[in-house]
């Protein structure tokens, strides 16, 4: 194509991208009065800026070919600063490498626009092969911490094994989401650590972490469950002893593995948590989100644990690079109590759901726990039915 046509095509790409980003989102009716989903994903591969993907120089790309494609955007950390909503997305290129990038929105549900440049995350002396799934914690020490998975090839794997990996947790801190200081990787006695989350407050004068000890990259082995440990310092963060806060459990939504989502939210009734649980089924592994609360003075002690899952994948959420998956590592609680839950589906796209902190506290504190056996579950449901039959009769409802 000639240069005039080239410039016209570039303008069309930019206009299309801008129009896509500015599409208003639509709140969907709630089926359970706990949260509302939204019609459109807030971040996808199509949200990636044109100048990330195409060489826009006519001399070097006269055919306007895409040079560095974007495969997916998902598993985003989240924070609100200066009245704007920010998510740090896991952006995955066609080359399978993930990187972090900041997208901002004026309202938390749409118009998420990436900053011009992705985050340049400093490396340690042992460079990461891949980084992903950052949790953001605004800590009382004054820093914003990003704790994320850092992945490297397993040095003990045979030469012909090109898939075995070692996952640990990287730690970086910032004041503005732009300049990042990389700290030493998180250290514990567990062979592998993913889904590590920094608690927002000191506990006994120490930095506190939710962990997920595992024997292998994919298999929990003798580990698993959401752990808890304390570190004297953050530079470096070393946890010598872990206790399990929330263990895996047979024939539940967390029988294979589970992990803390974002940093918990403090309420007058306790700390609010959302996590992911994984079970095996005929279609493979199924990831759902579930919740619990811990005590204000003992953030490792569970006080309320609603039975079952809080949110599972539906419709198009079930389809993607790793299907049948919901994952969460970011949420934002506004000062007025509104709560924005940034969940991802099937390792492909980023969504938002909204509720309120009060609603979630109600859900956590008053939803029955899983009694663990079919017979007990039926008895639990019969109690609800009996109560509702009486209530409907008193309201004069004939059903």
């Amino acid at each position: 194509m000639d240069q005039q046509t080239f410039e016209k095509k570039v303008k069309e790409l930019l206009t299309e991208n801008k129009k896509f980003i500015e599409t208003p989102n639509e709140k969907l009716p709630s089926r359970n009065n706990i949260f509302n989903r939204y019609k459109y994903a807030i971040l996808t591969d199509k949200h990636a800026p044109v100048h990330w993907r195409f060489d826009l120089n006519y001399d070097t790309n006269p055919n306007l070919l895409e040079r560095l494609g974007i495969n997916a955007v998902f598993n985003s950390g989240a924070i609100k600063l200066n009245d704007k909503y920010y998510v740090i997305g896991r952006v995955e290129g066609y080359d399978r490498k993930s990187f972090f990038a900041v997208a901002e929105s004026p309202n938390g549900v749409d118009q998420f626009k990436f900053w011009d440049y992705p985050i340049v995350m400093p490396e340690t002396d042992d460079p990461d092969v891949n980084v992903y799934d950052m949790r953001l914690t605004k800590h009382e020490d004054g820093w914003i911490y990003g704790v994320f998975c850092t992945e490297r090839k397993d040095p003990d794997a045979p030469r012909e094994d090109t898939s075995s990996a070692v996952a640990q947790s990287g730690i970086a801190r910032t004041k503005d989401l732009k300049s990042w200081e990389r700290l030493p990787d998180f250290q514990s006695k567990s062979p592998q650590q993913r889904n590590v989350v920094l608690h927002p407050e000191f506990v006994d004068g120490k930095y506190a972490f939710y962990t997920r000890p595992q024997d292998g990259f994919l298999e929990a082995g003798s580990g698993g469950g959401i752990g808890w440990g304390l570190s004297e310092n953050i530079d470096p963060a070393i946890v010598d002893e872990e206790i399990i806060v929330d263990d895996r459990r047979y024939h539940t939504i967390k029988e294979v593995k589970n992990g803390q989502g974002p940093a918990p939210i403090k309420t007058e009734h306790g700390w609010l948590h959302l996590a992911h649980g994984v079970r095996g089924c005929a279609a493979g592994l199924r990831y759902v989100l579930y919740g619990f609360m811990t005590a204000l003075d003992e953030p490792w002690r569970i006080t309320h644990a609603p039975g079952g899952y809080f949110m599972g994948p539906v419709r198009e959420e079930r389809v993607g690079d790793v299907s049948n998956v919901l994952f969460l590592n970011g949420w934002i609680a506004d000062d007025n109590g509104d709560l924005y839950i940034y969940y991802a589906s099937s390792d492909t796209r980023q969504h938002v759901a909204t509720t309120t902190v009060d609603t979630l506290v109600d859900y956590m504190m008053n939803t029955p726990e899983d009694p663990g056996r079919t017979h007990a579950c039926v008895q639990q449901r019969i109690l609800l039915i009996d109560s509702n039959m009486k209530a409907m009769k008193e309201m004069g409802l004939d059903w």
Side-chain angles (χ1 to χ4, degrees):
M1 68 180 78
D2 58 32
Q3 185 158 356
Q4 185 177 4
T5 304
F6 178 91
E7 293 176 0
K8 179 183 177 183
K9 292 290 187 182
V10 170
K11 185 176 180 180
E12 288 174 355
L13 283 173
L14 294 170
T15 301
E16 180 183 356
N17 181 253
K18 185 175 186 291
K19 182 179 179 181
F20 183 77
I21 291 171
E22 293 178 352
T23 301
N25 218 338
E26 298 178 26
K27 182 185 286 190
L28 300 175
S30 177
R31 292 187 59 213
N32 55 20
N33 293 329
I34 302 172
F35 58 82
N36 290 86
R37 279 178 159 91
Y38 282 72
K39 184 175 181 178
Y40 302 114
I42 62 165
L43 287 176
T44 68
D45 60 308
K46 294 172 70 175
H47 286 81
V50 173
H51 63 276
W52 287 10
R53 303 182 290 119
F54 289 85
D55 179 354
L56 303 179
N57 189 317
Y58 181 74
D59 293 334
T60 54
N61 190 23
N63 292 313
L64 196 57
L65 305 183
E66 185 180 62
R67 297 301 193 198
L68 295 174
I70 299 296
N71 180 61
V73 184
F74 55 110
N75 294 7
S76 300
I79 194 169
K80 189 176 183 183
L81 299 171
N82 302 319
D83 295 324
K84 286 189 177 181
Y85 300 80
Y86 297 92
V87 297
I88 295 186
R90 172 183 178 176
V91 184
E92 185 182 84
Y94 283 2
D95 57 10
R96 200 187 164 198
K97 306 301 185 296
S98 296
F99 59 88
F100 298 124
V102 180
E104 67 177 71
S105 163
N107 55 32
V109 298
D110 56 24
Q111 303 175 61
F112 276 92
K113 183 180 180 181
F114 280 111
W115 288 358
D116 281 341
Y117 290 89
I119 291 172
V120 179
M121 182 57 66
E123 295 181 316
T124 64
D125 293 337
D126 184 11
D128 323 277
V129 173
N130 203 28
V131 293
Y132 49 89
D133 300 357
M134 181 184 288
R135 276 85 167 173
L136 290 169
T137 298
K138 189 185 294 186
H139 198 272
E140 69 169 310
D141 72 358
W143 286 95
I144 298 168
Y145 288 90
V147 183
F148 53 90
C149 181
T150 170
E151 183 182 320
R152 303 171 178 93
K153 188 179 186 300
D154 187 347
D156 298 325
R159 181 180 177 278
E160 64 273 13
D161 182 352
T162 57
S163 60
S164 293
V166 174
Q168 293 296 347
S169 288
I171 302 175
R173 61 187 177 186
T174 182
K175 292 291 181 73
D176 57 8
L177 307 182
K178 297 176 182 177
S179 299
W180 292 82
E181 176 190 1
R182 182 76 180 263
L183 304 180
D185 290 348
F186 176 83
Q187 299 176 50
S188 71
K189 294 178 181 178
S190 175
Q192 307 227 19
Q193 284 278 12
R194 284 194 285 180
N195 301 290
V196 172
V197 182
L198 177 63
H199 189 68
E201 296 183 356
F202 289 112
V203 175
D204 297 333
K206 300 178 182 180
Y207 289 91
F209 290 88
Y210 300 93
T211 65
R212 209 271 297 281
Q214 287 205 172
D215 290 347
F217 182 70
L218 295 176
E219 300 298 327
S222 61
I226 298 174
W228 168 266
L230 300 177
S231 175
E232 293 283 352
N233 300 296
I234 195 71
D235 183 11
I238 302 173
V239 168
D240 292 321
E241 181 181 356
E242 293 173 86
I243 61 171
I244 296 300
V245 173
D246 186 37
D247 209 349
R248 297 180 293 152
R249 186 177 176 189
Y250 167 70
H251 208 82
T252 64
I253 50 95
K254 54 180 181 177
E255 65 185 6
V256 173
K257 53 188 173 180
N258 56 323
Q260 176 76 20
I265 293 172
K266 191 175 188 179
T267 76
E268 62 179 319
H269 302 285
W271 292 95
L272 282 176
H273 298 255
L274 282 182
H276 69 270
V278 187
R279 71 175 178 91
C281 62
L285 296 179
R286 174 174 165 84
Y287 281 64
V288 296
L289 309 179
Y290 72 98
F292 58 93
M293 288 185 72
T294 57
L296 282 176
D297 56 342
E298 297 176 324
W300 62 90
R301 179 172 60 85
I302 292 180
T303 58
H304 301 88
Y309 62 80
F310 172 76
M311 181 185 289
V314 297
R315 298 182 294 277
E316 68 275 3
E317 295 174 356
R318 298 189 65 252
V319 180
D321 278 3
V322 184
S323 296
N324 210 15
V325 168
L326 288 193
F327 193 87
L328 172 76
N329 51 296
W331 60 1
I332 293 173
D334 265 344
D335 292 339
N336 66 359
D338 290 342
L339 183 60
Y340 300 79
I341 299 170
Y342 296 102
Y343 70 99
S345 68
S346 297
D347 283 15
T348 301
R349 60 195 78 82
Q350 188 69 47
H351 306 266
V352 65
T354 54
T355 181
T356 66
V357 171
D358 286 346
T359 299
L360 208 56
V361 167
D362 183 352
Y363 167 80
M364 300 288 189
M365 296 184 67
N366 298 305
T367 302
E369 294 192 19
D370 182 348
R373 306 181 335 275
T374 294
H375 185 272
C377 289
V378 171
Q379 295 301 316
Q380 184 184 71
R381 199 169 296 268
I382 285 174
L383 287 175
L384 177 64
I385 293 170
D386 285 345
S387 175
N388 286 337
M389 295 292 281
K390 180 180 178 181
M392 287 189 291
K393 184 177 181 180
E394 290 175 351
M395 288 184 284
L397 300 174
D398 183 15
W399 190 254

